[in-house]
Amino acid sequence: MLHLPELHERPVEDCAEGKFISGGARMDFPATQPKPAADGKIIYYPPGVKEITDKITNDEVVKRLKMVVKTFMDMDQDSEDEKQQYLPLALHLASEFFLRNPNKDVRLLVACCLADIFRIYAPEAPYTSHDKLKDIFLFITRQLKGLEDTKSPQFNRYFYLLENLAWVKSYNICFELEDCNEIFIQLFRTLFSVINNSHNQKVQMHMLDLMSSIIMEGDGVTQELLDSILINLIPAHKNLNKQAFDLAKVLLKRTVQTIEPCIANFFNQVLVLGKSSVSDLSEHVFDLIQELFAIDPHLLLSVMPQLEFKLKSNDGEERLAVVRLLAKLFGSKDSDLATQNRPLWQCFLGRFNDIHVPVRLESVKFASHCLMNHPDLAKDLTEYLKVRSHDPEEAIRHDVIVTIITAGKRDLSLVNDQLLGFVRERTLDKRWRVRKEAMMGLAQLYKKYCLHAEAGKDAAEKVSWIKDKLLHIYYQNSIDDKLLVEKIFAQYLVPHNLETEERMKCLYYLYASLDPNAVKALNEMWKCQNMLRSHVRELLDLHKQPTSEANSAAMFGKLMTIAKNLPDPGKAQDFVKKFNQVLGDDEKLRSQLELLISPTCSCKQADVCVREIARKLANPKQPTNPFLEMVKFLLERIAPVHIDSEAISALVKLMNKSIEGTADDEEEGVSPDTAIRAGLELLKVLSFTHPTSFHSAETYESLLQCLRMEDDKVAEAAIQIFRNTGHKIETDLPQIRSTLIPILHQKAKRGTPHQAKQAVHCIHAIFSNKEVQLAQIFEPLSRSLNADVPEQLITPLVSLGHISMLAPDQFASPMKSVVANFIVKDLLMNDRSTGEKNGKLWSPDEEVSPEVLAKVQAIKLLVRWLLGMKNNQSKSANSTLRLLSAMLVSEGDLTEQKRISKSDMSRLRLAAGSAIMKLAQEPCYHEIITPEQFQLCALVINDECYQVRQIFAQKLHKALVKLLLPLEYMAIFALCAKDPVKERRAHARQCLLKNISIRREYIKQNPMANEKLLSLLPEYVVPYMIHLLAHDPDFTKPQDVDQLRDVKECLWFMLEVLMTKNENNSHAFMKKMAENIKLTRDAQSPDEPKANEKLYTVCDVALCVINSKSALCNADSPKDPVLPTKFFTQPEKDFCNDRNYISEETRVLLLTGKPKPTGVLGTVNKPLSATGRRPYIRTTGSETGSNISVNSELSSSAGNRSREQSSDISETGVSENDENPVRIISVTPAKTEPVKNKEINSDQATQGNSTERGKKRTATASGTENIHQKAEEKNADETGPSLAAKTRRGRPPKPEPQGTTAKNEETNKPPVRGRKRAAVSQESPGSLEAGNAKAPKQQDTAKKPAAAQRQIDLQRSQVLGSDGDSLLEIDSSPGYSQNTMDLFKARESSQEDTEDTEIAEGDFLKVKRKLTRKGRK
């Protein structure tokens, strides 16, 4: 017999009649008489218990049942006699009277009795009927609902019932019943429904025992029973009853081995077979999988492969649900699913590239949790995040940033450099929301890890690039970007809420550690804020003036200017007008604004003013106030939140500490020298924007100390600070004045050229007796000039030039004798030393001879002297212009004694061209510049030396963009179409775009400008361009198709930009100008037929281009254009010129290919392949060994020798940029595709990059730029006659003869300089094929792969595209104005602009090319 453990006894009322004797013995006192049962058996009740029938009251029934319960509780399995005696009673208790009794106490007592009966009679139940057993267990199950109320008086009996059932495992009897599942389902549902937080651990334990025994000892778990468990895991039920969820969780853990096949079957039915009807929980399968995985991954061993199947479903919504599920499974903290199930992980990663946008979005969101919880999976995620960072959907790109930044803020070690690089790229995204998220995210990382140093120096170093990158974004055109950079600077890079000393320390070391481009951006930011501050100040000044029409017009213009500096300028205009009205009505508001922009406003005062103005404009009834937001933007830009007098004093103290060696420079990662120099530069910039803040003896004492330092840059910056801020030194600080004067005199006489210039300007700016001071410098310097010691000439020439410009009334006359007797006769007209014949066309500044430097300064002195006089009464300007023209004609060698080196000649040509351009900025001198002199100046932009072309173009743009130069000088950019270097053409196109937009905007903003349209309207450049091209020395034969192609490309280079928009019917206006020119004569040579024929031919080419590119040009011109009389005669009466100067065949040839329009930094003016065009071969770097003037063709022996030399070079990695070869790092050249006989496609044609551009210019190998090869010259002299005509500077070369080309094609291929290599150059040797699609004879040559052998010189330029950034930021040359910095803002992603660049060993890129020179008549 089965012996069960003793149960816990519960208080039960004692029997009144006496005690029950085990073993069926008689009672000690008279017992109740047995009563016959319905079936005839006699029912024996325990002693003292009367018969229980329906005739008695419920209370009596309860009373008697309690004694029965007590009797059964005390019985055990060994009491055979008692078991037999009470068997009829046991059967009677299962009757309908008890099972369906309406009294719950009766039902509870009966249930307790039945539970004990099952215990006592175990393992066989006394009930043989299956139906009766089912009724009994369903009855007992219903009674278990009483467990819900723990505060009930009967709870102990309910607990006893549960305990009894659990210990005895009574429900296991039901396994024999056919419909036992109904009982079990009812039991499970009851237990899960009654469990609550008031139950103790024992109740939960008994419930678990009861249910787990049913699961583990049964034949299996049916779906309905499984549902009764799983339903508690669904989030809705989980939230309703947390205890039921915990109970199900523990139950599943305990029965995992048994229940796992049932769970697998359920998910198989739903996921694979799609039988959602098998369970009501089918729609919650993914929630269930998540919960089951969290409980025990072993529950899903067979389910995970099914999820891989669902990941590949055709239903996007279904894939989305699976991705959401797996994201939680893979991303949970303790999950090792990715390592345990690699196929599923790889399949999941594939969803990053899902075609369904929500799936990709969900995948990206998952990555954040995964990076934080599983850093080991970062490598797998990186590649997929990289692709998604370029997703076409804005939301996905945005979430990639959020994912990476969130992980990075948690712990920087969780994100690698590649992930941070993705965020860096997105700072240039085309969508503002994405850019903003990327910029703000990076700013937060910088503040956390660099500013607060929360993770140590290594983390700070890892994100140290962020400060530079964020400031680079200030180069972008969008005002939103600029405003966000300003906000980031004020809140994250240098938080304005720091104490002054801490804030300035932060700024001091930030400025010292920024790269040059970031420094320029920061300087520009301060400059823009200061400019806006001045606009607001001028607006307030207008409010003080009496109302008038002129005042209103000026105020309107000022408001439009201010609106441009705010987000969404269109809306901003309305808000600014409203703000202006409020200012006019509210005097207190005006006074607050005046205090805010006053030079003496402190940072704390600014904060108070901003709050006060915002409070006055706030509207409590309008929580979102766009007007107030716009005003806040304005106030934030003009408020001095960083710099005031206290801040400048703190900066000076920091610099003093660096000078004394007591600062924390090394700890901050900068050297003391760097800190001092950067500190002075910072103070110099701030001296422009906040000059009043410097006015203190302490500050000036520190600056005097800097003047005495040996560092030339530091002293120069200190002088400039004095110049900008020292207006009150003479009156307020006499001691500083007395110390400063001798230092300035010394710097003007014996300092560096830059120091001398600043010293002269400083004296002129801050001293009242400046005439006396300047005379004390001028007289000794003018007497001590000695051309035999050029080293000591440079500084005096600089000082004399600036003195004569600043004080012309006093020094113009004395300077005239200096100019005539010394500058021209003694210095410029004599070559005292012989230049180094190294063949280079350009040398670094430190290698230029002192004599040439002196001559360059002498030319500048002439210009400054004339600019000071501003008149030509003495005809000195005519003489100077003739001298400068002669220098250009002689290619820089004014004496023509050939003693001067090539590189020195380049310097002098640049100086002469720049001088003419500088004089043209003064109206009185512009009038006397002849067309011939203008054309000579223009040709400098086609100089054979790359650096001359580059610097001249920058100077030209700088003057044009400030509207300082006459419009005719913009025509010079048309000649840039001939430049063989793509970057130079791209730069010229940008300059044109910038200049045209500025001029058009100026005309719109200034109504008075309509009176000066001839000098402002960009379209008026067309006649100047036509005249310039008609006098192009390369244009000698008006009917030569190749020369006409060159003319056409130059015309289109300018017209393409002008014709982008047909503003005011400008196309018809330009056509009308070209037609009118044909009715005039060339004023330069009115009676020369050939000159006029060339002019009319260029007009016809221009008309041909305009007609072919625009269908709108045939409309009537809105106005009759005015032609410049300096270049064209007045139309003659009865003169009709209807002749076509280009034939129809020529016209067709010119129009066979349209130059491909490119992006801002793309290749400019690419040609297309043209059917029937005769192939012209651009000579490549492999054809010529250097960029030299080749005076003869190389003989075959010379060709063989050069082939041998080039093979040696290729093997040893030696560069030919010097006479003494230098070993360099070679790079494997990229291969090019061979060209087929048939036409190439348009892509290949465009990549040819001007390969069919009339004269085919050479693009020489890298390492050979600007080299004069003595060996080749010597060889040429020995083997062939030199050209009789004098070679001419400044034009791209004609192609070499075919024989030489073929012979030298494979010979000279010097290795590529530089450590990095971008895509193969389209102008490198490999580009030959693109231009020769129709040249069968050249195919053998074209099929040979060739190295890209050109390096691009942007000097002081930084191509950020090389490290993952899509912005090309170009640093301007020395003296390049900040006004032009936005010229170099690039498009969002660099496409072709960096494809043919190679990053050289230095900090800049060099372009290597060869320009042969052509004879001039």
Side-chain angles (χ1 to χ4, degrees):
M1 182 175 290
L2 180 63
H3 294 274
L4 297 173
E6 291 290 323
L7 296 176
H8 298 284
E9 295 188 10
R10 295 298 172 201
V12 182
E13 298 176 11
D14 292 336
C15 299
E17 275 70 30
K19 296 182 178 179
F20 178 74
I21 308 290
S22 63
R26 301 296 247 167
M27 306 297 173
D28 292 339
F29 43 83
T32 305
Q33 293 296 320
K35 302 293 181 183
D39 56 1
K41 292 183 180 181
I42 297 174
I43 300 173
Y44 289 95
Y45 286 92
V49 179
K50 296 179 182 181
E51 183 182 5
I52 304 173
T53 67
D54 56 356
K55 303 291 192 277
I56 60 177
T57 63
N58 283 335
D59 291 341
E60 188 61 29
V61 172
V62 170
K63 180 179 178 182
R64 296 177 187 182
L65 280 174
K66 284 182 179 179
M67 289 187 284
V68 175
V69 169
K70 174 63 175 171
T71 301
F72 283 122
M73 283 179 64
D74 293 339
M75 287 176 64
D76 57 29
Q77 289 181 318
D78 297 330
S79 307
E80 291 297 333
D81 294 339
E82 292 174 356
K83 286 165 62 177
Q84 190 63 31
Q85 177 183 353
Y86 290 117
L87 181 58
L89 178 58
L91 296 173
H92 177 57
L93 288 172
S95 65
E96 291 296 317
F97 169 72
F98 294 106
L99 298 183
R100 300 193 182 278
N101 196 292
N103 189 292
K104 65 177 182 179
D105 291 335
V106 173
R107 295 196 303 271
L108 172 59
L109 293 169
V110 171
C112 291
C113 290
L114 291 172
D116 273 325
I117 289 169
F118 284 118
R119 173 180 62 81
I120 296 166
Y121 289 92
E124 299 296 334
Y127 314 103
T128 56
S129 169
H130 285 193
D131 291 337
K132 178 57 68 176
L133 279 173
K134 178 181 177 182
D135 289 343
I136 291 171
F137 278 103
L138 288 175
F139 169 75
I140 294 173
T141 301
R142 286 194 293 273
Q143 307 322 304
L144 289 174
K145 290 183 179 179
L147 289 165
E148 190 170 10
D149 186 7
T150 55
K151 296 180 181 179
S152 168
Q154 301 297 332
F155 179 75
N156 285 338
R157 285 197 185 276
Y158 286 116
F159 178 77
Y160 172 77
L161 174 61
L162 173 65
E163 185 182 41
N164 198 344
L165 293 169
W167 278 85
V168 180
K169 300 182 181 179
S170 303
Y171 276 88
N172 290 13
I173 298 173
C174 298
F175 288 139
E176 299 175 5
L177 305 180
E178 291 183 1
D179 49 358
C180 61
N181 198 49
E182 182 183 344
I183 301 169
F184 296 151
I185 292 170
Q186 191 63 39
L187 172 66
F188 277 50
R189 287 176 178 170
T190 300
L191 294 179
F192 282 121
S193 65
V194 300
I195 186 74
N196 57 63
N197 56 8
S198 62
H199 289 138
N200 58 27
Q201 191 67 31
K202 288 182 179 180
V203 175
Q204 297 181 25
M205 182 186 70
H206 291 316
M207 288 183 177
L208 285 170
D209 291 341
L210 186 57
M211 290 188 287
S212 61
S213 66
I214 293 173
I215 293 173
M216 298 175 72
E217 297 181 23
D219 294 333
V221 180
T222 63
Q223 186 59 52
E224 292 80 8
L225 185 59
L226 184 62
D227 286 354
S228 67
I229 302 171
L230 297 181
I231 195 171
N232 298 286
L233 306 181
I234 295 173
H237 288 74
K238 174 181 175 181
N239 296 333
L240 287 174
N241 192 344
K242 180 68 166 58
Q243 285 67 37
F245 168 77
D246 293 336
L247 185 64
K249 182 169 143 185
V250 179
L251 176 63
L252 289 167
K253 277 188 175 181
R254 184 180 290 188
T255 60
V256 60
Q257 296 297 331
T258 307
I259 207 169
E260 189 273 332
C262 307
I263 292 174
N265 180 62
F266 163 59
F267 286 116
N268 185 61
Q269 294 285 324
V270 177
L271 295 177
V272 180
L273 302 179
K275 295 180 179 179
S276 58
S277 59
V278 298
S279 169
D280 293 336
L281 301 180
S282 299
E283 59 185 22
H284 301 290
V285 286
F286 297 128
D287 292 328
L288 291 174
I289 291 174
Q290 180 187 349
E291 296 296 343
L292 290 170
F293 184 81
I295 292 169
D296 191 338
H298 292 93
L299 289 167
L300 300 173
L301 284 177
S302 304
V303 178
M304 289 306 171
Q306 299 170 4
L307 292 178
E308 186 175 342
F309 167 76
K310 297 300 281 185
L311 273 176
K312 299 174 183 176
S313 168
N314 291 329
D315 185 355
E317 293 301 322
E318 195 170 47
R319 292 198 308 276
L320 176 60
V322 181
V323 166
R324 281 178 178 155
L325 167 66
L326 288 176
K328 295 171 183 175
L329 302 189
F330 285 120
S332 59
K333 191 164 185 63
D334 300 321
S335 170
D336 60 351
L337 181 60
T339 54
Q340 296 295 327
N341 197 332
R342 293 298 293 178
L344 181 62
W345 171 244
Q346 292 299 330
C347 186
F348 173 75
L349 289 177
R351 292 309 94 208
F352 275 82
N353 299 328
D354 198 284
I355 194 172
H356 198 42
V357 172
V359 174
R360 301 202 303 273
L361 194 58
E362 197 64 37
S363 301
V364 168
K365 288 179 179 177
F366 144 80
S368 178
H369 302 287
C370 191
L371 286 172
M372 289 188 283
N373 295 333
H374 303 283
D376 53 306
L377 297 177
K379 185 177 180 181
D380 291 341
L381 290 170
T382 300
E383 285 304 315
Y384 290 94
L385 286 175
K386 177 181 181 180
V387 177
R388 293 286 61 79
S389 69
H390 296 275
D391 196 285
E393 285 295 323
E394 173 187 343
I396 294 176
R397 300 196 304 274
H398 176 272
D399 278 14
V400 168
I401 296 165
V402 173
T403 291
I404 298 171
I405 295 298
T406 303
K409 287 195 287 187
R410 170 79 67 85
D411 185 350
L412 192 60
S413 63
L414 298 177
V415 293
N416 53 41
D417 291 337
Q418 202 172 356
L419 289 174
L420 290 175
F422 303 157
V423 182
R424 176 179 183 152
E425 287 180 357
R426 289 307 97 207
T427 58
L428 299 172
D429 196 275
K430 60 184 177 182
R431 295 291 182 185
W432 165 240
R433 177 177 170 231
V434 180
R435 297 200 305 273
K436 181 180 179 182
E437 189 65 40
M439 292 162 67
M440 290 299 292
L442 290 177
Q444 290 163 8
L445 292 181
Y446 178 83
K447 186 174 183 180
K448 182 180 177 77
Y449 296 110
C450 284
L451 214 56
H452 297 161
E454 291 187 10
K457 287 189 175 182
D458 291 340
E461 183 65 27
K462 184 176 180 179
V463 295
S464 60
W465 55 268
I466 290 178
K467 59 185 183 301
D468 297 311
K469 178 58 191 171
L470 290 174
L471 288 170
H472 290 166
I473 297 168
Y474 208 78
Y475 285 87
Q476 294 298 94
N477 280 322
S478 167
I479 188 66
D480 291 316
D481 289 308
K482 293 178 184 293
L483 289 175
L484 185 57
V485 172
E486 292 180 8
K487 181 178 180 180
I488 286 172
F489 180 79
Q491 294 183 2
Y492 295 95
L493 301 186
V494 185
H496 63 85
N497 53 5
L498 295 176
E499 291 298 324
T500 303
E501 290 184 2
E502 190 64 28
R503 186 172 73 242
M504 288 303 100
K505 182 178 180 182
C506 184
L507 176 60
Y508 183 72
Y509 289 111
L510 173 75
Y511 201 86
S513 58
L514 290 174
D515 68 30
N517 283 329
V519 168
K520 284 198 169 189
L522 182 55
N523 295 345
E524 180 71 8
M525 185 185 81
W526 282 326
K527 175 185 171 185
C528 290
Q529 290 175 340
N530 192 53
M531 187 70 69
L532 183 58
R533 210 174 288 129
S534 67
H535 289 320
V536 175
R537 189 179 295 115
E538 290 166 8
L539 178 66
L540 291 174
D541 291 340
L542 290 172
H543 274 284
K544 297 175 184 177
Q545 296 176 8
T547 306
S548 66
E549 187 175 341
N551 183 275
S552 299
M555 192 174 289
F556 177 78
K558 196 59 64 180
L559 291 175
M560 294 302 99
T561 303
I562 293 173
K564 283 183 184 177
N565 290 276
L566 297 172
D568 195 355
K571 291 182 180 178
Q573 288 182 7
D574 297 332
F575 291 131
V576 170
K577 289 177 185 176
K578 182 178 177 181
F579 182 55
N580 188 50
Q581 291 176 353
V582 176
L583 284 177
D585 299 336
D586 192 333
E587 189 175 345
K588 290 184 178 179
L589 195 65
R590 281 205 309 274
S591 63
Q592 289 281 357
L593 193 58
E594 284 180 353
L595 175 60
L596 181 65
I597 60 175
S598 68
T600 57
C601 181
S602 69
C603 297
K604 293 179 180 178
Q605 285 177 320
D607 191 40
V608 173
C609 287
V610 169
R611 289 182 186 175
E612 187 64 24
I613 294 172
R615 185 187 63 77
K616 286 187 177 183
L617 297 176
N619 185 356
K621 297 179 181 179
Q622 192 177 3
T624 56
N625 189 344
F627 168 63
L628 179 59
E629 292 300 316
M630 194 66 70
V631 172
K632 283 184 178 178
F633 270 119
L634 176 62
L635 297 178
E636 287 173 2
R637 293 204 75 185
I638 63 175
V641 294
H642 283 108
I643 306 300
D644 56 11
S645 298
E646 187 180 352
I648 294 297
S649 298
L651 273 176
V652 171
K653 288 177 183 176
L654 279 168
M655 193 177 63
N656 288 339
K657 287 183 179 179
S658 294
I659 295 172
E660 296 164 3
T662 59
D664 304 329
D665 298 337
E666 299 294 344
E667 291 182 13
E668 297 291 340
V670 295
S671 65
D673 290 342
T674 304
I676 296 168
R677 182 175 291 190
L680 257 295
E681 287 297 320
L682 172 60
L683 289 170
K684 182 177 80 173
V685 173
L686 295 177
S687 70
F688 285 101
T689 57
H690 301 80
T692 311
S693 301
F694 283 78
H695 195 67
S696 72
E698 182 185 14
T699 300
Y700 288 134
E701 287 288 351
S702 299
L703 291 173
L704 286 173
Q705 186 179 355
C706 293
L707 279 175
R708 300 185 183 98
M709 293 180 65
E710 295 180 359
D711 192 320
D712 293 337
K713 291 284 185 182
V714 170
E716 179 191 338
I719 298 173
Q720 196 158 355
I721 295 171
F722 273 111
R723 171 188 171 184
N724 296 336
T725 66
H727 303 290
K728 296 183 180 179
I729 287 180
E730 193 167 33
T731 56
D732 298 352
L733 301 168
Q735 185 177 356
I736 299 294
R737 175 187 183 278
S738 60
T739 309
L740 180 61
I741 287 178
I743 297 177
L744 292 178
H745 280 234
Q746 187 268 335
K747 295 295 183 184
K749 294 174 182 176
R750 289 180 291 280
T752 65
H754 289 292
Q755 290 174 355
K757 170 186 174 180
Q758 295 300 335
V760 170
H761 280 270
C762 186
I763 292 171
H764 184 265
I766 67 178
F767 297 124
S768 57
N769 62 338
K770 51 193 170 191
E771 291 82 3
V772 177
Q773 301 287 346
L774 293 176
Q776 292 174 0
I777 299 172
F778 182 88
E779 292 171 4
L781 286 182
S782 59
R783 289 195 302 267
S784 62
L785 294 175
N786 182 2
D788 294 328
V789 192
E791 296 87 353
Q792 299 176 10
L793 264 182
I794 299 170
T795 296
L797 290 176
V798 171
S799 295
L800 291 173
H802 283 282
I803 290 173
S804 60
M805 181 175 67
L806 293 173
D809 296 338
Q810 183 179 359
F811 298 105
S813 298
M815 181 59 74
K816 185 172 184 179
S817 62
V818 174
V819 167
N821 299 325
F822 177 78
I823 299 297
V824 177
K825 291 183 180 178
D826 207 14
L827 184 57
L828 292 177
M829 297 301 295
N830 283 308
D831 293 333
R832 287 175 168 75
S833 61
T834 302
E836 185 180 352
K837 302 292 184 179
N838 58 7
K840 295 180 181 179
L841 288 179
W842 189 262
S843 299
D845 293 349
E846 59 272 11
E847 294 181 14
V848 181
S849 66
E851 183 180 6
V852 171
L853 290 175
K855 287 184 176 182
V856 169
Q857 290 302 331
I859 293 171
K860 290 183 177 181
L861 181 145
L862 289 174
V863 173
R864 288 169 185 147
W865 170 54
L866 292 174
L867 291 177
M869 288 193 300
K870 293 185 180 179
N871 66 72
N872 191 34
Q873 294 174 358
S874 62
K875 303 296 181 182
S876 299
N878 297 88
S879 305
T880 302
L881 286 169
R882 287 196 297 272
L883 174 72
L884 296 173
S885 301
M887 187 166 288
L888 289 175
V889 171
S890 63
E891 301 185 4
D893 187 4
L894 195 60
T895 63
E896 297 189 349
Q897 296 175 2
K898 296 185 179 180
R899 298 181 62 185
I900 191 169
S901 69
K902 294 283 186 183
S903 60
D904 290 345
M905 289 166 65
S906 296
R907 293 269 176 177
L908 292 170
R909 291 197 303 273
L910 175 61
S914 301
I916 294 175
M917 190 164 57
K918 191 74 175 177
L919 290 174
Q921 296 176 29
E922 188 61 46
C924 65
Y925 301 135
H926 167 244
E927 293 172 358
I928 64 172
I929 295 177
T930 64
E932 291 85 356
Q933 290 168 345
F934 165 69
Q935 290 151 15
L936 277 172
C937 176
L939 290 178
V940 178
I941 210 163
N942 281 150
D943 195 272
E944 62 183 340
C945 177
Y946 175 87
Q947 287 81 2
V948 172
R949 304 199 303 275
Q950 180 190 37
I951 298 170
F952 183 81
Q954 289 174 344
K955 288 177 178 289
L956 176 63
H957 172 68
K958 176 182 174 182
L960 281 171
V961 84
K962 291 182 178 180
L963 303 180
L964 297 175
L965 271 176
L967 183 62
E968 65 200 68
Y969 284 82
M970 193 163 75
I972 295 175
F973 279 122
L975 296 175
C976 289
K978 298 188 176 193
D979 201 299
V981 181
K982 182 174 70 173
E983 282 66 31
R984 295 266 39 86
R985 299 195 299 274
H987 174 263
R989 190 174 190 276
Q990 281 189 30
C991 293
L992 283 174
L993 285 167
K994 183 69 175 176
N995 275 291
I996 289 171
S997 66
I998 282 179
R999 288 173 183 272
R1000 284 178 175 159
E1001 192 63 31
Y1002 181 83
I1003 293 171
K1004 287 179 184 177
Q1005 298 299 327
N1006 296 274
M1008 303 301 292
N1010 289 321
E1011 300 174 4
K1012 302 179 181 179
L1013 282 182
L1014 187 60
S1015 60
L1016 288 173
L1017 192 66
E1019 283 73 17
Y1020 268 120
V1021 77
V1022 172
Y1024 297 118
M1025 173 177 62
I1026 289 174
H1027 190 275
L1028 179 62
L1029 292 175
H1031 289 271
D1032 185 342
D1034 285 343
F1035 185 42
T1036 56
K1037 300 176 181 177
Q1039 302 305 318
D1040 186 281
V1041 176
D1042 297 326
Q1043 293 185 14
L1044 289 176
R1045 275 203 189 101
D1046 272 353
V1047 171
K1048 175 236 177 182
E1049 289 195 11
C1050 291
L1051 286 167
W1052 178 241
F1053 190 79
M1054 178 75 72
L1055 290 174
E1056 181 188 21
V1057 182
L1058 288 171
M1059 296 173 69
T1060 304
K1061 294 180 182 178
N1062 187 28
E1063 293 191 6
N1064 300 320
N1065 205 8
S1066 60
H1067 295 183
F1069 183 68
M1070 289 187 285
K1071 180 182 177 183
K1072 182 70 173 174
M1073 276 192 288
E1075 291 172 343
N1076 285 3
I1077 291 173
K1078 290 185 67 176
L1079 301 177
T1080 67
R1081 297 181 187 276
D1082 186 349
Q1084 187 172 333
S1085 307
D1087 300 323
E1088 188 177 336
K1090 186 172 182 180
N1092 287 307
E1093 181 187 359
K1094 287 163 62 179
L1095 180 67
Y1096 301 148
T1097 303
V1098 176
C1099 286
D1100 275 358
V1101 175
L1103 289 169
C1104 175
V1105 172
I1106 294 172
N1107 286 326
S1108 67
K1109 305 301 180 184
S1110 172
L1112 304 172
C1113 62
N1114 294 320
D1116 293 335
S1117 174
K1119 59 179 71 176
D1120 199 39
V1122 179
L1123 298 179
T1125 56
K1126 188 174 182 179
F1127 295 93
F1128 306 100
T1129 63
Q1130 291 293 329
E1132 300 177 10
K1133 291 183 179 180
D1134 303 326
F1135 179 71
C1136 179
N1137 186 4
D1138 54 1
R1139 173 187 165 188
N1140 289 325
Y1141 287 85
I1142 54 176
S1143 65
E1144 190 62 33
E1145 181 184 359
T1146 303
R1147 193 184 304 269
V1148 171
L1149 286 174
L1150 292 178
L1151 297 179
T1152 49
K1154 173 184 175 182
K1156 180 181 177 182
T1158 60
V1160 175
L1161 282 179
T1163 303
V1164 178
N1165 206 15
K1166 291 182 180 177
L1168 297 177
S1169 58
T1171 306
R1173 290 178 70 168
R1174 183 165 59 89
Y1176 275 78
I1177 302 155
R1178 177 196 294 273
T1179 54
T1180 69
S1182 58
E1183 297 171 35
T1184 54
S1186 61
N1187 185 3
I1188 57 172
S1189 301
V1190 180
N1191 294 327
S1192 64
E1193 297 181 6
L1194 298 177
S1195 66
S1196 59
S1197 61
N1200 293 334
R1201 186 177 306 163
S1202 66
R1203 182 180 295 109
E1204 293 169 5
Q1205 290 172 347
S1206 69
S1207 63
D1208 292 340
I1209 291 170
S1210 299
E1211 292 173 4
T1212 59
V1214 173
S1215 171
E1216 282 190 73
N1217 64 340
D1218 252 313
E1219 289 185 326
N1220 299 317
V1222 179
R1223 187 171 300 278
I1224 63 170
I1225 301 172
S1226 62
V1227 179
T1228 305
K1231 294 183 179 180
T1232 55
E1233 293 293 328
V1235 177
K1236 299 179 181 178
N1237 290 328
K1238 302 297 179 183
E1239 286 187 61
I1240 57 175
N1241 59 38
S1242 60
D1243 288 341
Q1244 291 170 318
T1246 55
Q1247 288 175 4
N1249 208 5
S1250 304
T1251 50
E1252 293 186 0
R1253 193 189 300 279
K1255 303 176 298 303
K1256 298 304 162 189
R1257 294 168 298 281
T1258 58
T1260 64
S1262 64
T1264 62
E1265 168 73 357
N1266 302 345
I1267 299 175
H1268 185 74
Q1269 256 190 352
K1270 292 182 178 180
E1272 289 195 13
E1273 285 187 346
K1274 180 180 178 181
N1275 211 3
D1277 291 339
E1278 292 172 357
T1279 57
S1282 61
L1283 296 176
K1286 180 179 177 180
T1287 58
R1288 185 182 57 77
R1289 166 197 55 77
R1291 313 309 288 173
K1294 296 291 183 181
E1296 291 187 12
Q1298 293 278 344
T1300 308
T1301 302
K1303 189 181 299 179
N1304 296 340
E1305 180 86 28
E1306 292 291 319
T1307 57
N1308 299 329
K1309 295 185 179 179
V1312 181
R1313 287 184 61 190
R1315 289 171 293 197
K1316 283 190 181 178
R1317 178 185 179 85
V1320 63
S1321 167
Q1322 296 302 325
E1323 293 186 351
S1324 64
S1327 64
L1328 184 63
E1329 307 101 57
N1332 296 330
K1334 296 290 184 179
K1337 292 182 181 180
Q1338 298 296 327
Q1339 286 197 5
D1340 292 340
T1341 304
K1343 288 181 181 178
K1344 298 178 182 179
Q1349 299 172 347
R1350 183 170 63 83
Q1351 295 175 334
I1352 303 155
D1353 182 1
L1354 294 176
Q1355 287 191 338
R1356 302 177 183 87
S1357 302
Q1358 186 175 11
V1359 181
L1360 301 178
S1362 60
D1363 59 358
D1365 204 332
S1366 36
L1367 174 66
L1368 179 66
E1369 293 168 350
I1370 304 180
D1371 184 7
S1372 55
S1373 64
Y1376 205 78
S1377 170
Q1378 291 295 331
N1379 286 341
T1380 64
M1381 74 177 245
D1382 57 349
L1383 166 70
F1384 305 105
K1385 298 166 193 164
R1387 303 175 77 180
E1388 185 244 320
S1389 59
S1390 54
Q1391 298 168 356
E1392 296 180 358
D1393 26 304
T1394 57
E1395 283 184 0
D1396 58 346
T1397 65
E1398 294 172 350
I1399 300 183
E1401 293 177 86
D1403 292 330
F1404 52 87
L1405 305 174
K1406 286 189 176 180
V1407 174
K1408 307 297 182 185
R1409 73 181 186 91
K1410 170 178 168 66
L1411 290 176
T1412 57
R1413 288 183 286 174
K1414 182 183 140 184
R1416 173 173 44 200
K1417 294 180 181 180

